[in-house]
mmCIF file of all heavy atoms in Angstrom:
data_model
loop_
_atom_site.group_PDB
_atom_site.id
_atom_site.type_symbol
_atom_site.label_atom_id
_atom_site.label_comp_id
_atom_site.label_asym_id
_atom_site.label_seq_id
_atom_site.Cartn_x
_atom_site.Cartn_y
_atom_site.Cartn_z
ATOM 1 N N GLU A 263 0.864 -1.191 -0.002
ATOM 2 C CA GLU A 263 -0.001 -0.029 0.004
ATOM 3 C C GLU A 263 0.853 1.268 -0.021
ATOM 4 O O GLU A 263 0.504 2.235 -0.674
ATOM 5 C CB GLU A 263 -0.924 0.025 1.223
ATOM 6 C CG GLU A 263 -2.052 -1.003 1.098
ATOM 7 C CD GLU A 263 -3.119 -0.840 2.120
ATOM 8 O OE1 GLU A 263 -2.766 -0.812 3.349
ATOM 9 O OE2 GLU A 263 -4.310 -0.724 1.771
ATOM 10 N N TRP A 264 1.971 1.221 0.731
ATOM 11 C CA TRP A 264 2.908 2.340 0.680
ATOM 12 C C TRP A 264 3.417 2.509 -0.725
ATOM 13 O O TRP A 264 3.666 3.680 -1.188
ATOM 14 C CB TRP A 264 3.986 2.195 1.767
ATOM 15 C CG TRP A 264 4.766 3.452 1.978
ATOM 16 C CD1 TRP A 264 4.300 4.718 1.912
ATOM 17 C CD2 TRP A 264 6.151 3.553 2.243
ATOM 18 N NE1 TRP A 264 5.326 5.653 2.137
ATOM 19 C CE2 TRP A 264 6.455 4.936 2.359
ATOM 20 C CE3 TRP A 264 7.185 2.605 2.373
ATOM 21 C CZ2 TRP A 264 7.737 5.387 2.642
ATOM 22 C CZ3 TRP A 264 8.503 3.055 2.680
ATOM 23 C CH2 TRP A 264 8.765 4.426 2.755
ATOM 24 N N ARG A 265 3.722 1.377 -1.341
ATOM 25 C CA ARG A 265 4.292 1.388 -2.731
ATOM 26 C C ARG A 265 3.311 2.138 -3.614
ATOM 27 O O ARG A 265 3.730 3.003 -4.501
ATOM 28 C CB ARG A 265 4.484 -0.010 -3.253
ATOM 29 C CG ARG A 265 4.767 -0.059 -4.734
ATOM 30 C CD ARG A 265 4.618 -1.512 -5.243
ATOM 31 N NE ARG A 265 5.704 -2.332 -4.785
ATOM 32 C CZ ARG A 265 5.604 -3.669 -4.674
ATOM 33 N NH1 ARG A 265 4.469 -4.260 -5.018
ATOM 34 N NH2 ARG A 265 6.599 -4.373 -4.261
ATOM 35 N N GLU A 266 2.048 1.911 -3.498
ATOM 36 C CA GLU A 266 1.041 2.574 -4.368
ATOM 37 C C GLU A 266 1.041 4.061 -4.129
ATOM 38 O O GLU A 266 0.935 4.841 -5.112
ATOM 39 C CB GLU A 266 -0.307 1.965 -4.062
ATOM 40 C CG GLU A 266 -0.501 0.527 -4.421
ATOM 41 C CD GLU A 266 -1.811 -0.045 -3.950
ATOM 42 O OE1 GLU A 266 -2.666 0.728 -3.398
ATOM 43 O OE2 GLU A 266 -2.069 -1.267 -4.080
ATOM 44 N N LEU A 267 1.253 4.492 -2.903
ATOM 45 C CA LEU A 267 1.340 5.954 -2.648
ATOM 46 C C LEU A 267 2.559 6.500 -3.266
ATOM 47 O O LEU A 267 2.584 7.627 -3.790
ATOM 48 C CB LEU A 267 1.205 6.201 -1.166
ATOM 49 C CG LEU A 267 -0.025 5.831 -0.379
ATOM 50 C CD1 LEU A 267 0.140 5.920 1.110
ATOM 51 C CD2 LEU A 267 -1.145 6.710 -0.877
ATOM 52 N N LEU A 268 3.632 5.778 -3.214
ATOM 53 C CA LEU A 268 4.951 6.266 -3.722
ATOM 54 C C LEU A 268 4.842 6.372 -5.250
ATOM 55 O O LEU A 268 5.339 7.378 -5.829
ATOM 56 C CB LEU A 268 6.080 5.318 -3.384
ATOM 57 C CG LEU A 268 6.536 5.227 -1.920
ATOM 58 C CD1 LEU A 268 7.468 4.070 -1.644
ATOM 59 C CD2 LEU A 268 7.206 6.577 -1.533
ATOM 60 N N VAL A 269 4.265 5.416 -5.925
ATOM 61 C CA VAL A 269 4.118 5.420 -7.402
ATOM 62 C C VAL A 269 3.317 6.587 -7.797
ATOM 63 O O VAL A 269 3.619 7.297 -8.711
ATOM 64 C CB VAL A 269 3.498 4.096 -7.842
ATOM 65 C CG1 VAL A 269 3.143 4.220 -9.310
ATOM 66 C CG2 VAL A 269 4.437 2.931 -7.661
ATOM 67 N N ALA A 270 2.221 6.883 -7.000
ATOM 68 C CA ALA A 270 1.386 8.043 -7.339
ATOM 69 C C ALA A 270 2.191 9.369 -7.211
ATOM 70 O O ALA A 270 1.796 10.275 -7.917
ATOM 71 C CB ALA A 270 0.156 8.052 -6.380
ATOM 72 N N ALA A 271 3.165 9.403 -6.376
ATOM 73 C CA ALA A 271 3.967 10.609 -6.173
ATOM 74 C C ALA A 271 5.003 10.807 -7.236
ATOM 75 O O ALA A 271 5.640 11.847 -7.299
ATOM 76 C CB ALA A 271 4.637 10.579 -4.806
ATOM 77 N N GLY A 272 5.153 9.797 -8.129
ATOM 78 C CA GLY A 272 6.132 9.920 -9.230
ATOM 79 C C GLY A 272 7.225 8.937 -9.154
ATOM 80 O O GLY A 272 7.577 8.403 -8.053
ATOM 81 N N PRO A 273 7.847 8.518 -10.321
ATOM 82 C CA PRO A 273 8.839 7.438 -10.338
ATOM 83 C C PRO A 273 10.138 7.746 -9.577
ATOM 84 O O PRO A 273 10.790 6.871 -9.192
ATOM 85 C CB PRO A 273 9.098 7.305 -11.855
ATOM 86 C CG PRO A 273 8.709 8.649 -12.478
ATOM 87 C CD PRO A 273 7.546 9.099 -11.629
ATOM 88 N N LYS A 274 10.409 9.035 -9.406
ATOM 89 C CA LYS A 274 11.632 9.394 -8.666
ATOM 90 C C LYS A 274 11.433 9.731 -7.233
ATOM 91 O O LYS A 274 12.418 10.097 -6.530
ATOM 92 C CB LYS A 274 12.330 10.560 -9.434
ATOM 93 C CG LYS A 274 12.751 10.258 -10.863
ATOM 94 C CD LYS A 274 13.425 11.447 -11.479
ATOM 95 C CE LYS A 274 13.901 11.120 -12.936
ATOM 96 N NZ LYS A 274 14.522 12.279 -13.581
ATOM 97 N N ALA A 275 10.207 9.701 -6.773
ATOM 98 C CA ALA A 275 9.906 10.108 -5.383
ATOM 99 C C ALA A 275 10.627 9.275 -4.378
ATOM 100 O O ALA A 275 11.147 9.788 -3.393
ATOM 101 C CB ALA A 275 8.416 10.036 -5.158
ATOM 102 N N GLY A 276 10.655 7.959 -4.539
ATOM 103 C CA GLY A 276 11.340 7.071 -3.565
ATOM 104 C C GLY A 276 12.764 7.290 -3.529
ATOM 105 O O GLY A 276 13.355 7.573 -2.462
ATOM 106 N N PRO A 277 13.558 7.150 -4.568
ATOM 107 C CA PRO A 277 14.992 7.386 -4.542
ATOM 108 C C PRO A 277 15.363 8.781 -4.036
ATOM 109 O O PRO A 277 16.290 8.921 -3.297
ATOM 110 C CB PRO A 277 15.434 7.204 -6.037
ATOM 111 C CG PRO A 277 14.389 6.304 -6.570
ATOM 112 C CD PRO A 277 13.106 6.682 -5.953
ATOM 113 N N LYS A 278 14.644 9.825 -4.423
ATOM 114 C CA LYS A 278 14.920 11.176 -3.953
ATOM 115 C C LYS A 278 14.720 11.272 -2.474
ATOM 116 O O LYS A 278 15.466 11.977 -1.759
ATOM 117 C CB LYS A 278 13.974 12.135 -4.663
ATOM 118 C CG LYS A 278 14.243 13.603 -4.283
ATOM 119 C CD LYS A 278 13.253 14.542 -5.032
ATOM 120 C CE LYS A 278 13.458 15.974 -4.594
ATOM 121 N NZ LYS A 278 12.456 16.928 -5.267
ATOM 122 N N ALA A 279 13.743 10.594 -1.910
ATOM 123 C CA ALA A 279 13.421 10.697 -0.476
ATOM 124 C C ALA A 279 14.583 10.136 0.329
ATOM 125 O O ALA A 279 14.748 10.547 1.504
ATOM 126 C CB ALA A 279 12.133 9.920 -0.159
ATOM 127 N N VAL A 280 15.309 9.173 -0.174
ATOM 128 C CA VAL A 280 16.407 8.574 0.630
ATOM 129 C C VAL A 280 17.437 9.599 1.031
ATOM 130 O O VAL A 280 17.958 9.552 2.194
ATOM 131 C CB VAL A 280 17.104 7.482 -0.257
ATOM 132 C CG1 VAL A 280 18.337 6.948 0.463
ATOM 133 C CG2 VAL A 280 16.147 6.324 -0.506
ATOM 134 N N PHE A 281 17.638 10.608 0.213
ATOM 135 C CA PHE A 281 18.655 11.649 0.542
ATOM 136 C C PHE A 281 18.028 12.958 0.996
ATOM 137 O O PHE A 281 18.789 13.910 1.213
ATOM 138 C CB PHE A 281 19.512 11.863 -0.703
ATOM 139 C CG PHE A 281 20.241 10.601 -1.173
ATOM 140 C CD1 PHE A 281 19.749 9.844 -2.286
ATOM 141 C CD2 PHE A 281 21.321 10.138 -0.484
ATOM 142 C CE1 PHE A 281 20.420 8.744 -2.670
ATOM 143 C CE2 PHE A 281 21.997 8.966 -0.927
ATOM 144 C CZ PHE A 281 21.484 8.213 -2.015
ATOM 145 N N THR A 282 16.752 12.992 1.102
ATOM 146 C CA THR A 282 16.050 14.218 1.488
ATOM 147 C C THR A 282 15.868 14.234 3.063
ATOM 148 O O THR A 282 15.278 13.309 3.577
ATOM 149 C CB THR A 282 14.680 14.345 0.884
ATOM 150 O OG1 THR A 282 14.854 14.430 -0.532
ATOM 151 C CG2 THR A 282 13.997 15.619 1.327
ATOM 152 N N PRO A 283 16.409 15.289 3.738
ATOM 153 C CA PRO A 283 16.145 15.324 5.256
ATOM 154 C C PRO A 283 14.707 15.332 5.554
ATOM 155 O O PRO A 283 13.918 15.915 4.804
ATOM 156 C CB PRO A 283 16.879 16.657 5.590
ATOM 157 C CG PRO A 283 17.886 16.866 4.550
ATOM 158 C CD PRO A 283 17.224 16.381 3.256
ATOM 159 N N PHE A 284 14.346 14.755 6.651
ATOM 160 C CA PHE A 284 12.933 14.666 7.021
ATOM 161 C C PHE A 284 12.230 16.020 7.363
ATOM 162 O O PHE A 284 11.025 16.082 7.378
ATOM 163 C CB PHE A 284 12.674 13.617 8.153
ATOM 164 C CG PHE A 284 13.078 14.136 9.511
ATOM 165 C CD1 PHE A 284 12.180 14.663 10.378
ATOM 166 C CD2 PHE A 284 14.413 13.998 9.904
ATOM 167 C CE1 PHE A 284 12.576 15.108 11.598
ATOM 168 C CE2 PHE A 284 14.846 14.437 11.216
ATOM 169 C CZ PHE A 284 13.850 14.980 11.974
ATOM 170 N N GLU A 285 13.070 17.057 7.673
ATOM 171 C CA GLU A 285 12.449 18.308 7.989
ATOM 172 C C GLU A 285 13.170 19.537 7.497
ATOM 173 O O GLU A 285 12.560 20.616 7.311
ATOM 174 C CB GLU A 285 12.231 18.444 9.526
ATOM 175 C CG GLU A 285 13.505 18.441 10.334
ATOM 176 C CD GLU A 285 13.264 18.607 11.827
ATOM 177 O OE1 GLU A 285 12.157 19.052 12.203
ATOM 178 O OE2 GLU A 285 14.168 18.326 12.603
ATOM 179 N N SER A 286 14.442 19.454 7.168
ATOM 180 C CA SER A 286 15.196 20.603 6.757
ATOM 181 C C SER A 286 15.256 20.722 5.266
ATOM 182 O O SER A 286 15.354 19.714 4.551
ATOM 183 C CB SER A 286 16.653 20.482 7.259
ATOM 184 O OG SER A 286 17.444 21.567 6.713
ATOM 185 N N LEU A 287 15.052 21.961 4.803
ATOM 186 C CA LEU A 287 15.106 22.229 3.365
ATOM 187 C C LEU A 287 16.426 22.909 2.936
ATOM 188 O O LEU A 287 16.625 23.140 1.812
ATOM 189 C CB LEU A 287 13.948 23.196 2.960
ATOM 190 C CG LEU A 287 12.539 22.732 3.253
ATOM 191 C CD1 LEU A 287 11.532 23.751 2.827
ATOM 192 C CD2 LEU A 287 12.270 21.409 2.535
ATOM 193 N N GLY A 288 17.310 23.139 3.937
ATOM 194 C CA GLY A 288 18.539 23.860 3.658
ATOM 195 C C GLY A 288 18.332 25.322 3.645
ATOM 196 O O GLY A 288 17.167 25.811 3.607
ATOM 197 N N ASP A 289 19.382 26.068 3.596
ATOM 198 C CA ASP A 289 19.323 27.567 3.537
ATOM 199 C C ASP A 289 18.527 28.092 4.725
ATOM 200 O O ASP A 289 17.858 29.168 4.540
ATOM 201 C CB ASP A 289 18.727 28.033 2.223
ATOM 202 C CG ASP A 289 19.581 27.567 1.041
ATOM 203 O OD1 ASP A 289 20.804 27.547 1.169
ATOM 204 O OD2 ASP A 289 19.019 27.261 -0.046
ATOM 205 N N GLY A 290 18.492 27.434 5.849
ATOM 206 C CA GLY A 290 17.767 27.918 6.979
ATOM 207 C C GLY A 290 16.256 27.726 6.910
ATOM 208 O O GLY A 290 15.513 28.189 7.765
ATOM 209 N N ARG A 291 15.811 27.020 5.929
ATOM 210 C CA ARG A 291 14.339 26.750 5.768
ATOM 211 C C ARG A 291 14.007 25.360 6.293
ATOM 212 O O ARG A 291 14.763 24.388 6.147
ATOM 213 C CB ARG A 291 13.914 26.893 4.337
ATOM 214 C CG ARG A 291 14.063 28.309 3.769
ATOM 215 C CD ARG A 291 13.487 28.422 2.333
ATOM 216 N NE ARG A 291 14.229 27.500 1.476
ATOM 217 C CZ ARG A 291 13.622 26.797 0.566
ATOM 218 N NH1 ARG A 291 12.360 26.819 0.375
ATOM 219 N NH2 ARG A 291 14.379 25.933 -0.293
ATOM 220 N N TRP A 292 12.755 25.220 6.828
ATOM 221 C CA TRP A 292 12.346 24.021 7.505
ATOM 222 C C TRP A 292 10.898 23.645 7.089
ATOM 223 O O TRP A 292 10.173 24.534 6.741
ATOM 224 C CB TRP A 292 12.436 24.069 8.995
ATOM 225 C CG TRP A 292 13.856 24.391 9.485
ATOM 226 C CD1 TRP A 292 14.461 25.578 9.596
ATOM 227 C CD2 TRP A 292 14.810 23.427 9.906
ATOM 228 N NE1 TRP A 292 15.745 25.445 10.038
ATOM 229 C CE2 TRP A 292 15.942 24.116 10.298
ATOM 230 C CE3 TRP A 292 14.806 22.027 10.101
ATOM 231 C CZ2 TRP A 292 17.104 23.463 10.762
ATOM 232 C CZ3 TRP A 292 15.904 21.421 10.571
ATOM 233 C CH2 TRP A 292 17.062 22.167 10.923
ATOM 234 N N GLY A 293 10.617 22.375 7.163
ATOM 235 C CA GLY A 293 9.245 21.932 6.901
ATOM 236 C C GLY A 293 9.009 21.527 5.483
ATOM 237 O O GLY A 293 9.066 22.418 4.549
#
């Protein structure tokens, strides 16, 4: 079921998420 949500978010959503911080956007931005 999580796979289905990931696929709906786009083919690169999963691999990109591996290296994306869970809350920091960088440059002092958060969320």
Side-chain angles (χ1 to χ4, degrees):
E263 288 191 307
W264 192 35
R265 169 195 291 159
E266 294 171 6
L267 295 172
L268 290 169
V269 170
K274 297 182 179 180
K278 181 181 178 181
V280 172
F281 302 101
T282 300
F284 74 96
E285 62 179 343
S286 172
L287 302 180
D289 300 325
R291 295 183 300 139
W292 299 84

